[in-house]
Amino acid sequence: TQIIYLASEIGASGIINLLALDVTQVPGQTMNNFTIRMKHTTLTYYSANAKWEGTGWTTVYQGNAPPGSTGWRNFVFSNPFPYNGVNNLMVDISFNNTSASTDGLCRYSSPGGNRAIYFNSDSGHGDPLFWSGAQPRPLISANVPNLMISVTPLDNADTDEDGMPDWWEELHA
């Protein structure tokens, strides 16, 4: 799934180092190569012709994720994400199993607009980390997983007044 969270929902800029999902039903098996990726986006919703974003991602978490239990499930990032506090945030969550079992489910909200795309394939369309464009054709949803993120605030000084915090520009110089 790829989900858009608005800047107004995220808050100030800073380093995102943890994401938690509110699990309501545990998956029936370990999720192989469970991956969380993030990137900034100017999109606020998906159009009817939504496509998978295939480039520009920062992989923040990756590993095999056992079923676990219901409630908040924390994923501590091995590669924290520097969020600029200006753009919207796109989050990609995937795993790559070759067989189906009971779906894992998370609590969700419908904040308005089509803000998520998803697809189930059991490896039938290859590794989802390499999906891009319209193949496989994503399904569109107005539901977004409820999540908590941990953001370490940074100084938001913008000495050149270009709308981007100085720390962000230094990281991407």
PDB file of all heavy atoms in Angstrom, residues 10-45:
ATOM      1  N   ILE A  10       0.853  15.683  10.028  1.00  0.00           N
ATOM      2  CA  ILE A  10       2.166  15.265  10.533  1.00  0.00           C
ATOM      3  C   ILE A  10       2.687  16.259  11.560  1.00  0.00           C
ATOM      4  O   ILE A  10       3.185  15.883  12.605  1.00  0.00           O
ATOM      5  CB  ILE A  10       3.193  15.139   9.378  1.00  0.00           C
ATOM      6  CG1 ILE A  10       2.690  14.176   8.307  1.00  0.00           C
ATOM      7  CG2 ILE A  10       4.563  14.721   9.912  1.00  0.00           C
ATOM      8  CD1 ILE A  10       2.484  12.758   8.749  1.00  0.00           C
ATOM      9  N   GLY A  11       2.601  17.528  11.256  1.00  0.00           N
ATOM     10  CA  GLY A  11       3.115  18.556  12.166  1.00  0.00           C
ATOM     11  C   GLY A  11       4.451  19.090  11.702  1.00  0.00           C
ATOM     12  O   GLY A  11       4.775  19.076  10.516  1.00  0.00           O
ATOM     13  N   ALA A  12       5.232  19.535  12.635  1.00  0.00           N
ATOM     14  CA  ALA A  12       6.488  20.227  12.347  1.00  0.00           C
ATOM     15  C   ALA A  12       7.541  19.290  11.752  1.00  0.00           C
ATOM     16  O   ALA A  12       7.445  18.078  11.845  1.00  0.00           O
ATOM     17  CB  ALA A  12       7.023  20.873  13.619  1.00  0.00           C
ATOM     18  N   SER A  13       8.547  19.909  11.184  1.00  0.00           N
ATOM     19  CA  SER A  13       9.662  19.160  10.618  1.00  0.00           C
ATOM     20  C   SER A  13      10.441  18.455  11.719  1.00  0.00           C
ATOM     21  O   SER A  13      10.347  18.789  12.893  1.00  0.00           O
ATOM     22  CB  SER A  13      10.592  20.109   9.855  1.00  0.00           C
ATOM     23  OG  SER A  13      11.152  21.048  10.752  1.00  0.00           O
ATOM     24  N   GLY A  14      11.196  17.463  11.311  1.00  0.00           N
ATOM     25  CA  GLY A  14      12.034  16.733  12.248  1.00  0.00           C
ATOM     26  C   GLY A  14      12.400  15.377  11.703  1.00  0.00           C
ATOM     27  O   GLY A  14      12.092  15.044  10.555  1.00  0.00           O
ATOM     28  N   ILE A  15      13.061  14.606  12.501  1.00  0.00           N
ATOM     29  CA  ILE A  15      13.510  13.280  12.117  1.00  0.00           C
ATOM     30  C   ILE A  15      12.475  12.259  12.599  1.00  0.00           C
ATOM     31  O   ILE A  15      12.211  12.148  13.795  1.00  0.00           O
ATOM     32  CB  ILE A  15      14.895  12.953  12.722  1.00  0.00           C
ATOM     33  CG1 ILE A  15      15.931  14.009  12.309  1.00  0.00           C
ATOM     34  CG2 ILE A  15      15.341  11.560  12.340  1.00  0.00           C
ATOM     35  CD1 ILE A  15      16.187  14.078  10.818  1.00  0.00           C
ATOM     36  N   ILE A  16      11.878  11.533  11.644  1.00  0.00           N
ATOM     37  CA  ILE A  16      10.924  10.476  11.993  1.00  0.00           C
ATOM     38  C   ILE A  16      11.728   9.198  12.213  1.00  0.00           C
ATOM     39  O   ILE A  16      12.454   8.749  11.327  1.00  0.00           O
ATOM     40  CB  ILE A  16       9.881  10.268  10.872  1.00  0.00           C
ATOM     41  CG1 ILE A  16       9.084  11.563  10.630  1.00  0.00           C
ATOM     42  CG2 ILE A  16       8.940   9.116  11.231  1.00  0.00           C
ATOM     43  CD1 ILE A  16       8.140  11.497   9.435  1.00  0.00           C
ATOM     44  N   ASN A  17      11.614   8.631  13.414  1.00  0.00           N
ATOM     45  CA  ASN A  17      12.426   7.448  13.728  1.00  0.00           C
ATOM     46  C   ASN A  17      11.598   6.240  14.160  1.00  0.00           C
ATOM     47  O   ASN A  17      12.165   5.206  14.496  1.00  0.00           O
ATOM     48  CB  ASN A  17      13.478   7.790  14.782  1.00  0.00           C
ATOM     49  CG  ASN A  17      12.869   8.461  15.994  1.00  0.00           C
ATOM     50  OD1 ASN A  17      11.734   8.201  16.356  1.00  0.00           O
ATOM     51  ND2 ASN A  17      13.624   9.349  16.613  1.00  0.00           N
ATOM     52  N   LEU A  18      10.268   6.367  14.133  1.00  0.00           N
ATOM     53  CA  LEU A  18       9.416   5.256  14.537  1.00  0.00           C
ATOM     54  C   LEU A  18       8.033   5.462  13.937  1.00  0.00           C
ATOM     55  O   LEU A  18       7.553   6.585  13.844  1.00  0.00           O
ATOM     56  CB  LEU A  18       9.303   5.207  16.062  1.00  0.00           C
ATOM     57  CG  LEU A  18       8.393   4.151  16.667  1.00  0.00           C
ATOM     58  CD1 LEU A  18       9.010   3.599  17.937  1.00  0.00           C
ATOM     59  CD2 LEU A  18       7.017   4.697  16.966  1.00  0.00           C
ATOM     60  N   LEU A  19       7.432   4.351  13.521  1.00  0.00           N
ATOM     61  CA  LEU A  19       6.048   4.346  13.059  1.00  0.00           C
ATOM     62  C   LEU A  19       5.350   3.214  13.787  1.00  0.00           C
ATOM     63  O   LEU A  19       5.920   2.124  13.939  1.00  0.00           O
ATOM     64  CB  LEU A  19       6.008   4.124  11.546  1.00  0.00           C
ATOM     65  CG  LEU A  19       4.639   4.030  10.881  1.00  0.00           C
ATOM     66  CD1 LEU A  19       4.735   4.629   9.474  1.00  0.00           C
ATOM     67  CD2 LEU A  19       4.160   2.605  10.788  1.00  0.00           C
ATOM     68  N   ALA A  20       4.133   3.454  14.262  1.00  0.00           N
ATOM     69  CA  ALA A  20       3.350   2.418  14.926  1.00  0.00           C
ATOM     70  C   ALA A  20       2.004   2.293  14.231  1.00  0.00           C
ATOM     71  O   ALA A  20       1.383   3.288  13.870  1.00  0.00           O
ATOM     72  CB  ALA A  20       3.156   2.747  16.402  1.00  0.00           C
ATOM     73  N   LEU A  21       1.561   1.054  14.022  1.00  0.00           N
ATOM     74  CA  LEU A  21       0.261   0.744  13.431  1.00  0.00           C
ATOM     75  C   LEU A  21      -0.622   0.123  14.515  1.00  0.00           C
ATOM     76  O   LEU A  21      -0.150  -0.685  15.324  1.00  0.00           O
ATOM     77  CB  LEU A  21       0.414  -0.245  12.280  1.00  0.00           C
ATOM     78  CG  LEU A  21       1.192   0.254  11.072  1.00  0.00           C
ATOM     79  CD1 LEU A  21       1.518  -0.899  10.126  1.00  0.00           C
ATOM     80  CD2 LEU A  21       0.407   1.333  10.353  1.00  0.00           C
ATOM     81  N   ASP A  22      -1.894   0.456  14.501  1.00  0.00           N
ATOM     82  CA  ASP A  22      -2.847  -0.069  15.478  1.00  0.00           C
ATOM     83  C   ASP A  22      -3.476  -1.342  14.900  1.00  0.00           C
ATOM     84  O   ASP A  22      -4.486  -1.285  14.191  1.00  0.00           O
ATOM     85  CB  ASP A  22      -3.902   0.984  15.794  1.00  0.00           C
ATOM     86  CG  ASP A  22      -4.775   0.608  16.978  1.00  0.00           C
ATOM     87  OD1 ASP A  22      -4.545  -0.456  17.590  1.00  0.00           O
ATOM     88  OD2 ASP A  22      -5.703   1.388  17.276  1.00  0.00           O
ATOM     89  N   VAL A  23      -2.895  -2.487  15.190  1.00  0.00           N
ATOM     90  CA  VAL A  23      -3.299  -3.775  14.633  1.00  0.00           C
ATOM     91  C   VAL A  23      -4.580  -4.262  15.310  1.00  0.00           C
ATOM     92  O   VAL A  23      -4.658  -4.344  16.535  1.00  0.00           O
ATOM     93  CB  VAL A  23      -2.168  -4.822  14.794  1.00  0.00           C
ATOM     94  CG1 VAL A  23      -2.590  -6.182  14.287  1.00  0.00           C
ATOM     95  CG2 VAL A  23      -0.895  -4.345  14.101  1.00  0.00           C
ATOM     96  N   THR A  24      -5.596  -4.575  14.481  1.00  0.00           N
ATOM     97  CA  THR A  24      -6.856  -5.099  15.008  1.00  0.00           C
ATOM     98  C   THR A  24      -7.004  -6.592  14.743  1.00  0.00           C
ATOM     99  O   THR A  24      -7.790  -7.264  15.403  1.00  0.00           O
ATOM    100  CB  THR A  24      -8.060  -4.362  14.401  1.00  0.00           C
ATOM    101  OG1 THR A  24      -8.021  -4.493  12.980  1.00  0.00           O
ATOM    102  CG2 THR A  24      -8.051  -2.891  14.801  1.00  0.00           C
ATOM    103  N   GLN A  25      -6.273  -7.119  13.763  1.00  0.00           N
ATOM    104  CA  GLN A  25      -6.247  -8.556  13.471  1.00  0.00           C
ATOM    105  C   GLN A  25      -4.846  -8.907  13.008  1.00  0.00           C
ATOM    106  O   GLN A  25      -4.340  -8.311  12.057  1.00  0.00           O
ATOM    107  CB  GLN A  25      -7.255  -8.903  12.370  1.00  0.00           C
ATOM    108  CG  GLN A  25      -7.240 -10.378  11.981  1.00  0.00           C
ATOM    109  CD  GLN A  25      -8.311 -10.684  10.951  1.00  0.00           C
ATOM    110  OE1 GLN A  25      -9.483 -10.411  11.159  1.00  0.00           O
ATOM    111  NE2 GLN A  25      -7.898 -11.256   9.818  1.00  0.00           N
ATOM    112  N   VAL A  26      -4.217  -9.849  13.696  1.00  0.00           N
ATOM    113  CA  VAL A  26      -2.841 -10.219  13.331  1.00  0.00           C
ATOM    114  C   VAL A  26      -2.849 -11.047  12.045  1.00  0.00           C
ATOM    115  O   VAL A  26      -3.801 -11.795  11.783  1.00  0.00           O
ATOM    116  CB  VAL A  26      -2.139 -10.989  14.468  1.00  0.00           C
ATOM    117  CG1 VAL A  26      -2.002 -10.128  15.707  1.00  0.00           C
ATOM    118  CG2 VAL A  26      -2.829 -12.289  14.793  1.00  0.00           C
ATOM    119  N   PRO A  27      -1.796 -10.919  11.239  1.00  0.00           N
ATOM    120  CA  PRO A  27      -1.714 -11.728  10.025  1.00  0.00           C
ATOM    121  C   PRO A  27      -1.506 -13.196  10.386  1.00  0.00           C
ATOM    122  O   PRO A  27      -1.016 -13.519  11.467  1.00  0.00           O
ATOM    123  CB  PRO A  27      -0.505 -11.148   9.284  1.00  0.00           C
ATOM    124  CG  PRO A  27       0.311 -10.487  10.344  1.00  0.00           C
ATOM    125  CD  PRO A  27      -0.646 -10.032  11.398  1.00  0.00           C
ATOM    126  N   GLY A  28      -1.852 -14.070   9.465  1.00  0.00           N
ATOM    127  CA  GLY A  28      -1.755 -15.498   9.698  1.00  0.00           C
ATOM    128  C   GLY A  28      -0.354 -16.076   9.523  1.00  0.00           C
ATOM    129  O   GLY A  28      -0.163 -17.267   9.750  1.00  0.00           O
ATOM    130  N   GLN A  29       0.605 -15.272   9.108  1.00  0.00           N
ATOM    131  CA  GLN A  29       1.969 -15.754   8.923  1.00  0.00           C
ATOM    132  C   GLN A  29       2.946 -14.584   9.015  1.00  0.00           C
ATOM    133  O   GLN A  29       2.543 -13.424   8.991  1.00  0.00           O
ATOM    134  CB  GLN A  29       2.103 -16.454   7.563  1.00  0.00           C
ATOM    135  CG  GLN A  29       1.845 -15.537   6.368  1.00  0.00           C
ATOM    136  CD  GLN A  29       1.927 -16.276   5.039  1.00  0.00           C
ATOM    137  OE1 GLN A  29       2.820 -17.079   4.832  1.00  0.00           O
ATOM    138  NE2 GLN A  29       0.982 -15.997   4.138  1.00  0.00           N
ATOM    139  N   THR A  30       4.223 -14.918   9.116  1.00  0.00           N
ATOM    140  CA  THR A  30       5.269 -13.893   9.084  1.00  0.00           C
ATOM    141  C   THR A  30       5.204 -13.151   7.754  1.00  0.00           C
ATOM    142  O   THR A  30       5.005 -13.761   6.704  1.00  0.00           O
ATOM    143  CB  THR A  30       6.660 -14.555   9.267  1.00  0.00           C
ATOM    144  OG1 THR A  30       6.722 -15.105  10.584  1.00  0.00           O
ATOM    145  CG2 THR A  30       7.784 -13.562   9.079  1.00  0.00           C
ATOM    146  N   MET A  31       5.346 -11.849   7.808  1.00  0.00           N
ATOM    147  CA  MET A  31       5.374 -11.032   6.591  1.00  0.00           C
ATOM    148  C   MET A  31       6.834 -10.893   6.168  1.00  0.00           C
ATOM    149  O   MET A  31       7.632 -10.213   6.835  1.00  0.00           O
ATOM    150  CB  MET A  31       4.728  -9.673   6.845  1.00  0.00           C
ATOM    151  CG  MET A  31       3.238  -9.787   7.155  1.00  0.00           C
ATOM    152  SD  MET A  31       2.476  -8.226   7.618  1.00  0.00           S
ATOM    153  CE  MET A  31       3.187  -7.974   9.245  1.00  0.00           C
ATOM    154  N   ASN A  32       7.190 -11.586   5.078  1.00  0.00           N
ATOM    155  CA  ASN A  32       8.572 -11.604   4.609  1.00  0.00           C
ATOM    156  C   ASN A  32       8.964 -10.279   3.968  1.00  0.00           C
ATOM    157  O   ASN A  32       8.198  -9.692   3.209  1.00  0.00           O
ATOM    158  CB  ASN A  32       8.776 -12.738   3.605  1.00  0.00           C
ATOM    159  CG  ASN A  32       8.578 -14.090   4.237  1.00  0.00           C
ATOM    160  OD1 ASN A  32       8.951 -14.319   5.388  1.00  0.00           O
ATOM    161  ND2 ASN A  32       7.972 -15.008   3.501  1.00  0.00           N
ATOM    162  N   ASN A  33      10.168  -9.844   4.287  1.00  0.00           N
ATOM    163  CA  ASN A  33      10.712  -8.605   3.741  1.00  0.00           C
ATOM    164  C   ASN A  33       9.745  -7.434   3.959  1.00  0.00           C
ATOM    165  O   ASN A  33       9.530  -6.621   3.068  1.00  0.00           O
ATOM    166  CB  ASN A  33      11.058  -8.760   2.258  1.00  0.00           C
ATOM    167  CG  ASN A  33      12.063  -7.720   1.809  1.00  0.00           C
ATOM    168  OD1 ASN A  33      12.930  -7.308   2.572  1.00  0.00           O
ATOM    169  ND2 ASN A  33      11.942  -7.290   0.575  1.00  0.00           N
ATOM    170  N   PHE A  34       9.167  -7.374   5.164  1.00  0.00           N
ATOM    171  CA  PHE A  34       8.265  -6.273   5.529  1.00  0.00           C
ATOM    172  C   PHE A  34       9.068  -4.982   5.440  1.00  0.00           C
ATOM    173  O   PHE A  34      10.109  -4.833   6.078  1.00  0.00           O
ATOM    174  CB  PHE A  34       7.726  -6.486   6.943  1.00  0.00           C
ATOM    175  CG  PHE A  34       6.713  -5.472   7.356  1.00  0.00           C
ATOM    176  CD1 PHE A  34       5.385  -5.644   7.027  1.00  0.00           C
ATOM    177  CD2 PHE A  34       7.079  -4.353   8.087  1.00  0.00           C
ATOM    178  CE1 PHE A  34       4.424  -4.708   7.413  1.00  0.00           C
ATOM    179  CE2 PHE A  34       6.134  -3.424   8.475  1.00  0.00           C
ATOM    180  CZ  PHE A  34       4.806  -3.598   8.139  1.00  0.00           C
ATOM    181  N   THR A  35       8.596  -4.052   4.612  1.00  0.00           N
ATOM    182  CA  THR A  35       9.355  -2.837   4.312  1.00  0.00           C
ATOM    183  C   THR A  35       8.468  -1.612   4.476  1.00  0.00           C
ATOM    184  O   THR A  35       7.328  -1.596   4.015  1.00  0.00           O
ATOM    185  CB  THR A  35       9.905  -2.881   2.872  1.00  0.00           C
ATOM    186  OG1 THR A  35      10.710  -4.057   2.720  1.00  0.00           O
ATOM    187  CG2 THR A  35      10.729  -1.657   2.547  1.00  0.00           C
ATOM    188  N   ILE A  36       9.027  -0.609   5.126  1.00  0.00           N
ATOM    189  CA  ILE A  36       8.386   0.700   5.209  1.00  0.00           C
ATOM    190  C   ILE A  36       9.312   1.692   4.517  1.00  0.00           C
ATOM    191  O   ILE A  36      10.504   1.758   4.837  1.00  0.00           O
ATOM    192  CB  ILE A  36       8.136   1.137   6.663  1.00  0.00           C
ATOM    193  CG1 ILE A  36       7.269   0.116   7.399  1.00  0.00           C
ATOM    194  CG2 ILE A  36       7.499   2.534   6.707  1.00  0.00           C
ATOM    195  CD1 ILE A  36       7.147   0.368   8.893  1.00  0.00           C
ATOM    196  N   ARG A  37       8.742   2.437   3.563  1.00  0.00           N
ATOM    197  CA  ARG A  37       9.493   3.479   2.862  1.00  0.00           C
ATOM    198  C   ARG A  37       8.729   4.794   2.986  1.00  0.00           C
ATOM    199  O   ARG A  37       7.509   4.782   3.139  1.00  0.00           O
ATOM    200  CB  ARG A  37       9.676   3.139   1.385  1.00  0.00           C
ATOM    201  CG  ARG A  37      10.373   1.810   1.153  1.00  0.00           C
ATOM    202  CD  ARG A  37      10.654   1.528  -0.306  1.00  0.00           C
ATOM    203  NE  ARG A  37       9.419   1.353  -1.076  1.00  0.00           N
ATOM    204  CZ  ARG A  37       9.383   1.116  -2.385  1.00  0.00           C
ATOM    205  NH1 ARG A  37      10.507   1.036  -3.088  1.00  0.00           N
ATOM    206  NH2 ARG A  37       8.221   0.966  -3.011  1.00  0.00           N
ATOM    207  N   MET A  38       9.457   5.885   2.902  1.00  0.00           N
ATOM    208  CA  MET A  38       8.836   7.210   2.991  1.00  0.00           C
ATOM    209  C   MET A  38       9.435   8.146   1.958  1.00  0.00           C
ATOM    210  O   MET A  38      10.584   7.972   1.533  1.00  0.00           O
ATOM    211  CB  MET A  38       9.057   7.823   4.382  1.00  0.00           C
ATOM    212  CG  MET A  38       8.379   7.086   5.493  1.00  0.00           C
ATOM    213  SD  MET A  38       8.633   7.926   7.072  1.00  0.00           S
ATOM    214  CE  MET A  38       7.308   7.182   8.008  1.00  0.00           C
ATOM    215  N   LYS A  39       8.627   9.152   1.590  1.00  0.00           N
ATOM    216  CA  LYS A  39       9.135  10.231   0.754  1.00  0.00           C
ATOM    217  C   LYS A  39       8.190  11.413   0.860  1.00  0.00           C
ATOM    218  O   LYS A  39       7.028  11.280   1.270  1.00  0.00           O
ATOM    219  CB  LYS A  39       9.306   9.784  -0.692  1.00  0.00           C
ATOM    220  CG  LYS A  39       8.035   9.537  -1.465  1.00  0.00           C
ATOM    221  CD  LYS A  39       8.396   8.995  -2.832  1.00  0.00           C
ATOM    222  CE  LYS A  39       7.521   9.482  -3.937  1.00  0.00           C
ATOM    223  NZ  LYS A  39       7.982   9.061  -5.244  1.00  0.00           N
ATOM    224  N   HIS A  40       8.697  12.566   0.507  1.00  0.00           N
ATOM    225  CA  HIS A  40       7.868  13.772   0.445  1.00  0.00           C
ATOM    226  C   HIS A  40       7.079  13.752  -0.856  1.00  0.00           C
ATOM    227  O   HIS A  40       7.528  13.201  -1.855  1.00  0.00           O
ATOM    228  CB  HIS A  40       8.759  15.016   0.496  1.00  0.00           C
ATOM    229  CG  HIS A  40       9.461  15.165   1.798  1.00  0.00           C
ATOM    230  ND1 HIS A  40      10.759  14.770   1.980  1.00  0.00           N
ATOM    231  CD2 HIS A  40       9.026  15.640   2.989  1.00  0.00           C
ATOM    232  CE1 HIS A  40      11.115  15.002   3.228  1.00  0.00           C
ATOM    233  NE2 HIS A  40      10.078  15.531   3.867  1.00  0.00           N
ATOM    234  N   THR A  41       5.899  14.366  -0.822  1.00  0.00           N
ATOM    235  CA  THR A  41       5.070  14.447  -2.021  1.00  0.00           C
ATOM    236  C   THR A  41       4.251  15.731  -2.004  1.00  0.00           C
ATOM    237  O   THR A  41       3.942  16.251  -0.929  1.00  0.00           O
ATOM    238  CB  THR A  41       4.137  13.222  -2.156  1.00  0.00           C
ATOM    239  OG1 THR A  41       3.431  13.293  -3.407  1.00  0.00           O
ATOM    240  CG2 THR A  41       3.132  13.150  -1.019  1.00  0.00           C
ATOM    241  N   THR A  42       3.913  16.197  -3.190  1.00  0.00           N
ATOM    242  CA  THR A  42       2.990  17.323  -3.308  1.00  0.00           C
ATOM    243  C   THR A  42       1.564  16.830  -3.533  1.00  0.00           C
ATOM    244  O   THR A  42       0.632  17.628  -3.501  1.00  0.00           O
ATOM    245  CB  THR A  42       3.402  18.260  -4.462  1.00  0.00           C
ATOM    246  OG1 THR A  42       3.467  17.500  -5.672  1.00  0.00           O
ATOM    247  CG2 THR A  42       4.757  18.898  -4.174  1.00  0.00           C
ATOM    248  N   LEU A  43       1.394  15.514  -3.745  1.00  0.00           N
ATOM    249  CA  LEU A  43       0.054  14.959  -3.918  1.00  0.00           C
ATOM    250  C   LEU A  43      -0.749  15.103  -2.628  1.00  0.00           C
ATOM    251  O   LEU A  43      -0.202  14.938  -1.536  1.00  0.00           O
ATOM    252  CB  LEU A  43       0.118  13.479  -4.287  1.00  0.00           C
ATOM    253  CG  LEU A  43       0.690  13.104  -5.646  1.00  0.00           C
ATOM    254  CD1 LEU A  43       0.753  11.587  -5.793  1.00  0.00           C
ATOM    255  CD2 LEU A  43      -0.135  13.716  -6.766  1.00  0.00           C
ATOM    256  N   THR A  44      -2.044  15.373  -2.775  1.00  0.00           N
ATOM    257  CA  THR A  44      -2.932  15.409  -1.613  1.00  0.00           C
ATOM    258  C   THR A  44      -3.933  14.256  -1.658  1.00  0.00           C
ATOM    259  O   THR A  44      -4.569  13.952  -0.657  1.00  0.00           O
ATOM    260  CB  THR A  44      -3.709  16.741  -1.542  1.00  0.00           C
ATOM    261  OG1 THR A  44      -4.408  16.933  -2.770  1.00  0.00           O
ATOM    262  CG2 THR A  44      -2.754  17.909  -1.297  1.00  0.00           C
ATOM    263  N   TYR A  45      -4.095  13.642  -2.820  1.00  0.00           N
ATOM    264  CA  TYR A  45      -4.967  12.484  -2.999  1.00  0.00           C
ATOM    265  C   TYR A  45      -4.584  11.804  -4.311  1.00  0.00           C
ATOM    266  O   TYR A  45      -3.843  12.361  -5.129  1.00  0.00           O
ATOM    267  CB  TYR A  45      -6.449  12.896  -3.015  1.00  0.00           C
ATOM    268  CG  TYR A  45      -6.804  13.802  -4.171  1.00  0.00           C
ATOM    269  CD1 TYR A  45      -7.236  13.276  -5.388  1.00  0.00           C
ATOM    270  CD2 TYR A  45      -6.683  15.179  -4.067  1.00  0.00           C
ATOM    271  CE1 TYR A  45      -7.528  14.101  -6.467  1.00  0.00           C
ATOM    272  CE2 TYR A  45      -6.974  16.009  -5.136  1.00  0.00           C
ATOM    273  CZ  TYR A  45      -7.401  15.468  -6.329  1.00  0.00           C
ATOM    274  OH  TYR A  45      -7.677  16.278  -7.388  1.00  0.00           O
TER     275      TYR A  45
END
